Amino acid sequence: MTAAILDDEPHNVQLLEHLLLNFCPQISAVQGFTDPLEAVEAISQNAPDLLLLDIEMPQLNGFDVLNRLMPLQFRVIFVTAYDKYAVRAFRYSALDYLLKPIDIEEFKSAVKRALEQGVPDPQQLGFASQVKQTMSEVIPDRIALSTQDGLLIVDTNDIVHLDSESNYTRIFFKNGQKVLVSRTLKDLEELLDAQKFFRVHHSHVINLHSVRKYLRGEGGEVILENKSQIPVARSKKEEFLRRFARV
């Protein structure tokens, strides 16, 4: 099988090529690119079986590159130094997402998994510009959260509420689990389905389906299924009651 590498740093291209040819016996030939426009032209004419793709690059980022190559005729693994794109990558059903510096065993496993899968569906990466859907229609039930131990893939339906802790957010799940992630509440709120989740207070986002009781007051309070009692900001009260009535 063949592979292509796109990374604007030449030493990263050389490293990935070395890893592919020395640790992935399935791969017989590798093309390396540092220019996204050049890569798009070459890959559109002769698609590889696998593309290792950086995200932050000049001219076109990794997501732009894939948009230009749709419908995809190859598998994709994102390779980047930034974990902040993990959620977006998994939102688009990325086949895998590796962080630099590369762990060799993780790399070998990711390549093996990617090559074992068939060619992705033309809409598999879920780009709104390709499938012509609104953002609310393509928001998935699963998101990826970056923790100290790695990436945690969660079903958003299992989230009861999220609480802000400065630049961190603590997430509470139906099974009693609590996870602290290095993302602001605002960042995570943007990833959640606005039909299911609502920011009732500057420090709290709740799953509307988890509300069990509303207590009247200046703003009021909600009691959730895990017994948590969350304040509702006065400025949010009217909108919350309107939204809650529709759930």
Side-chain angles (χ1 to χ4, degrees):
M1 292 185 172
T2 61
I5 301 165
L6 173 55
D7 192 305
D8 62 316
E9 296 289 343
H11 68 275
N12 286 332
V13 173
Q14 294 170 7
L15 172 61
L16 292 172
E17 182 175 359
H18 171 80
L19 293 176
L20 283 172
L21 294 177
N22 286 275
F23 295 100
C24 303
Q26 313 97 315
I27 301 297
S28 59
V30 180
Q31 278 186 296
F33 303 94
T34 56
D35 184 324
L37 293 175
E38 179 186 342
V40 168
E41 182 178 357
I43 292 172
S44 62
Q45 295 177 5
N46 186 21
D49 295 298
L50 172 67
L51 173 63
L52 301 183
L53 181 62
D54 191 15
I55 295 180
E56 283 203 349
M57 296 178 290
Q59 297 179 294
L60 301 174
N61 65 37
F63 300 115
D64 295 331
V65 167
L66 292 180
N67 269 329
R68 294 197 179 197
L69 292 171
M70 296 289 269
L72 301 183
Q73 301 298 321
F74 49 85
R75 296 81 157 175
V76 178
I77 296 176
F78 288 107
V79 184
T80 177
Y82 304 96
D83 67 355
K84 65 182 180 180
Y85 295 110
V87 173
R88 185 179 180 189
F90 278 96
R91 171 183 287 175
Y92 297 151
S93 301
L95 298 184
D96 229 312
Y97 187 99
L98 299 177
L99 289 175
K100 304 170 184 175
I102 299 297
D103 178 279
I104 293 178
E105 292 304 317
E106 288 183 1
F107 180 84
K108 290 163 58 178
S109 297
V111 171
K112 184 174 183 293
R113 282 195 301 271
L115 295 179
E116 286 175 348
Q117 298 189 34
V119 174
D121 182 272
Q123 296 182 352
Q124 183 172 0
L125 294 187
F127 293 102
S129 61
Q130 296 295 326
V131 299
K132 304 184 185 303
Q133 293 177 311
T134 65
M135 183 61 72
S136 62
E137 291 174 321
V138 298
I139 289 177
D141 287 332
R142 293 198 314 159
I143 60 174
L145 303 173
S146 180
T147 69
Q148 289 182 336
D149 300 322
L151 291 176
L152 177 65
I153 313 301
V154 304
D155 188 326
T156 59
N157 294 310
D158 294 331
I159 297 175
V160 179
H161 62 104
L162 307 90
D163 294 354
S164 173
E165 295 189 12
S166 186
N167 290 325
Y168 294 82
T169 301
R170 192 172 299 277
I171 305 175
F172 297 76
F173 295 90
K174 291 182 178 181
N175 63 3
Q177 182 184 13
K178 303 174 187 177
V179 175
L180 184 68
V181 297
S182 57
R183 287 279 181 267
T184 65
L185 186 61
K186 183 178 184 299
D187 287 341
L188 292 177
E189 180 186 11
E190 292 175 352
L191 298 171
L192 297 169
D193 189 341
Q195 300 301 314
K196 300 177 183 177
F197 290 86
F198 183 73
R199 190 163 187 166
V200 293
H201 186 276
H202 67 84
S203 296
H204 306 283
V205 170
I206 65 170
N207 183 337
L208 291 169
H209 291 279
S210 294
V211 176
R212 293 295 175 264
K213 190 174 183 180
Y214 170 72
L215 303 176
R216 294 189 181 90
E218 186 175 4
E221 293 180 325
V222 290
I223 297 177
L224 305 178
E225 63 179 79
N226 64 355
K227 310 301 182 184
S228 294
Q229 198 162 319
I230 306 294
V232 178
R234 183 174 58 180
S235 61
K236 296 285 189 176
K237 179 179 179 179
E238 184 178 344
E239 185 181 356
F240 164 71
L241 290 175
R242 184 170 60 250
R243 289 283 306 282
F244 182 57
R246 296 201 301 264
V247 174

